[in-house]
Amino acid sequence: MKKKYFVTGSTGVIGSALIPMLLEDQDCQVWTLIRADSPEHLEARLEELIAFCDMDAEWEQSARRRIVPLLGDTGKSKFALSNAIYTEITNQCTHIIHCAGEVRMNLPLEVARQHAIGAAQNIVELALACQTSGSLQKIEFISTVGVAGRMPGILPETWISKPREFHNSYEQAKAETEDYLREQIEQHNLPVTLHRPSMVVGDSKAGKIIHFQVFYYLCEFIAGRRTFGILPYFSDAVVDTVSVDYVAQVIKWSSDQGKSTVGKIFHLCSGPNFSIRITQLQKIVRIIMKNHGVKLPLMILVPSVLYTPLLKLITPLVPEKMRRPIKTLPIFVDYLSESNLFDNKNTITFLKKKSGPELIPIKNYLEKVFSVYLNTKLPK
């Protein structure tokens, strides 16, 4: 049977790596939901995606015939699609992949909930309609290891029901979304695989990424470049990263496995064995930046509890363009003040048993992905 995918978030970090993998199958079709202001803007965003995918001429020609861009919004009923298009999808869609997500950490909680839970409700509504028509085979739902919040210990590869606090509104909204999704799966027997990526960075081979996200600004922060070298002492805290190609490969692989991955929760992360200490990452990042000719201040380390009050004192003294980034630093400090560890033993074992993708350690790609960032951001 010909696969027909409905994909959200295709112009985002994970989606942009996933789309070319899906289109490698010459028999598949992809409806890709793209938020845009107009049909012209939709076309421009599609062209940006295709350019980023960097396909050869023959592959690109084939891909253009099989990718159907849809102007819509995950937060709106029926994704703001026409009844005709929505009905066509519900009658034909075999695979749903929900990659879209608002990753800002400082949104008001209600706004974060609207983005996360609202989109999940619309995905479930679509899935139920596809299920009724008999077309649906599989759903890949992308969440985050951030649902752990401040839960002590290592996040297990299971649904989490215990009460916990969160670092920010993003984590809480994602955790509440998982609660909703779990209820719907149990109630309607939906064929879902849940994917929890950690901090996603560039491609492990080429280093590229369609948008620079949290990891890159974290690296700028811990290097001291934006803070005059004044930094909190990170002690034994670690950071868990994962390359975008590994995440996309597992999602694509999972969608191809049929029933064997239904009900699984995959932790797409470095895990306890490959996560890197912040202090080690700091040293490596500063070396990479110096090798690229970036001048860095000497580091002045202060206790974490004093760092946020100190930021408030120095903010009025810095140039206007630096004040906004400095105001976001307490979010980083709060997150990095704890060791965030996520179990991935079951995921790695299952992938190995089923000849799935192999986890790539951060040491294999760190210099590559951060160098791409510096080469893009530094003045020519």
Side-chain angles (χ1 to χ4, degrees), residues 56 205-206 247 336 343:
D56 62 42
K205 301 178 185 65
V247 174
L336 297 174
D343 198 2

Side-chain angles (χ1 to χ4, degrees), residues 147-202:
V147 297
R150 298 183 186 275
M151 187 175 70
I154 299 178
L155 176 69
E157 297 160 281
T158 60
W159 296 105
I160 310 300
S161 55
K162 63 174 63 176
R164 58 207 182 276
E165 296 181 354
F166 299 93
H167 298 95
N168 49 62
S169 61
Y170 170 75
E171 290 182 347
Q172 182 167 345
K174 283 293 192 177
E176 292 176 5
T177 300
E178 281 200 10
D179 293 340
Y180 164 77
L181 183 64
R182 183 183 185 182
E183 291 175 359
Q184 296 302 309
I185 291 171
E186 293 174 349
Q187 183 176 346
H188 301 289
N189 195 29
L190 292 172
V192 175
T193 300
L194 183 72
H195 302 268
R196 289 176 180 156
S198 60
M199 197 176 293
V200 180
V201 303

Side-chain angles (χ1 to χ4, degrees), residues 305-319:
V305 292
L306 300 179
Y307 192 70
T308 298
L310 182 60
L311 284 177
K312 292 180 179 178
L313 289 176
I314 67 172
T315 298
L317 306 178
V318 303

Side-chain angles (χ1 to χ4, degrees), residues 20-21 34 45-47 56 63 80 98 120 128 151-153 163 176 179 203 205 249 258 270 276 278 335 344-345 371:
M21 294 183 188
I34 299 175
R45 296 202 72 191
L46 175 64
E47 291 303 315
D56 62 42
H98 179 47
L128 293 175
M151 187 175 70
E176 292 176 5
D179 293 340
D203 183 273
K205 301 178 185 65
Q249 285 165 5
S270 289
I276 187 171
I278 294 292
Y335 180 78
N344 63 348
K345 180 173 59 180
S371 292

